[in-house]
Amino acid sequence: FYLKSAQFVAIMDDFLPAAYMEFCKRSQDQVPTEMTDDEVRAVVESGLGGRPLEELFEGFQFSTHGAASIGQVHRARLRSTGEEVIVKVMYPGVEGLFRSDLKTIQAFCRLAQPQHLPYLNEIERQFLTEFDYRREADNLARVRANVLPRWGSKVAIPRPIVELCGERVLVMEYLSGKKLVDGLRDHYADLAMRMGCTLSDLEARQKQAVKEGRSS
């Protein structure tokens, strides 16, 4: 729950002092993980019908490609087709930890700040839907079906490998590229250069405009 909260705060640059904000931003995809290779193997194999990992993938990279609040991702290739994929693996016991963290916060608020309980109850309802990667696979497929027919020449959305998706394992095609925030910063750095200023100057202007309620 605490990591989920940090991820949410990370999108609001002025919400916390810079040192705390830097930690929150790392929580989006650089969470330290304690999963061993054997634990990763166990989750993947049990989540995909007990089939040996080597039967499904070749070149499975046990080093993490990224890690967030409830799971981490690994790169691999499908043995059947050679396609490069991402394998998302849920941390063992993470749902229990999330529930425990949230119950602690709810108990505190019930005693000291009951006005926040409706918000926390809604968080519980929303976040608990994330502990089944089959939902995420369904959402990916739905978004692709709705977006790609019209915007497929401009955007790319990873395709879930549905037959290799389970409650705690999600396999999808690998798409190379930048994080959205990094791509936006590169775009604005180019814009700032054309305007004859630095990216920091442009960011300061935009933040001031937001504070004053202006559009630019």
Side-chain angles (χ1 to χ4, degrees), residues 18-216:
Y20 297 104
M21 186 56 68
E22 177 61 28
F23 169 82
C24 290
K25 289 185 180 297
R26 290 201 305 272
S27 73
Q28 293 180 320
D29 58 5
Q30 300 177 44
V31 174
T33 174
E34 297 181 355
M35 284 187 75
T36 66
D37 293 356
D38 287 341
E39 287 173 326
V40 171
R41 175 185 291 275
V43 172
V44 173
E45 292 183 348
S46 64
L48 299 180
R51 299 168 64 185
L53 185 145
E54 288 79 10
E55 181 180 318
L56 301 169
F57 307 102
E58 58 183 20
F60 188 97
Q61 298 182 13
F62 282 97
S63 58
T64 57
H65 190 61
S69 56
I70 69 170
Q72 62 191 43
V73 296
H74 301 263
R75 293 176 66 171
R77 290 187 180 277
L78 297 181
R79 182 164 293 281
S80 57
T81 65
E83 179 183 4
E84 190 169 7
V85 295
I86 282 291
V87 183
K88 192 172 182 179
V89 182
M90 190 178 297
Y91 301 134
V94 69
E95 183 175 355
L97 289 174
F98 179 89
R99 290 180 180 274
S100 177
D101 289 345
L102 190 56
K103 292 301 181 186
T104 300
I105 298 296
Q106 287 172 321
F108 171 80
C109 287
R110 192 173 294 112
L111 176 67
Q113 296 182 318
Q115 68 273 22
H116 295 307
L117 278 174
Y119 168 72
L120 290 171
N121 292 338
E122 182 60 26
I123 286 178
E124 182 175 26
R125 283 191 291 271
Q126 294 297 321
F127 281 172
L128 289 180
T129 64
E130 297 190 19
F131 294 102
D132 187 341
Y133 282 158
R134 292 170 296 191
R135 291 176 180 265
E136 186 171 340
D138 289 342
N139 289 337
L140 275 174
R142 188 175 298 113
V143 171
R144 282 174 54 87
N146 291 334
V147 173
L148 294 187
R150 180 172 182 180
W151 302 103
S153 62
K154 298 181 181 297
V155 299
I157 301 170
R159 171 178 54 86
I161 313 301
V162 178
E163 64 273 19
L164 294 178
C165 291
E167 183 179 3
R168 297 193 298 159
V169 181
L170 172 64
V171 181
M172 68 181 83
E173 68 174 315
Y174 173 77
L175 297 179
S176 61
K178 299 177 181 177
K179 291 173 57 177
L180 176 61
V181 65
D182 292 337
L184 290 173
R185 289 184 67 86
D186 289 346
H187 170 76
Y188 277 101
D190 182 64
L191 176 61
M193 184 171 60
R194 295 199 303 269
M195 294 172 62
C197 64
T198 66
L199 178 59
S200 296
D201 291 337
L202 183 58
E203 287 180 334
R205 293 181 194 176
Q206 293 294 324
K207 288 179 180 179
Q208 187 61 34
V210 170
K211 291 180 179 179
E212 295 175 358
R214 295 183 286 111
S215 60
S216 60

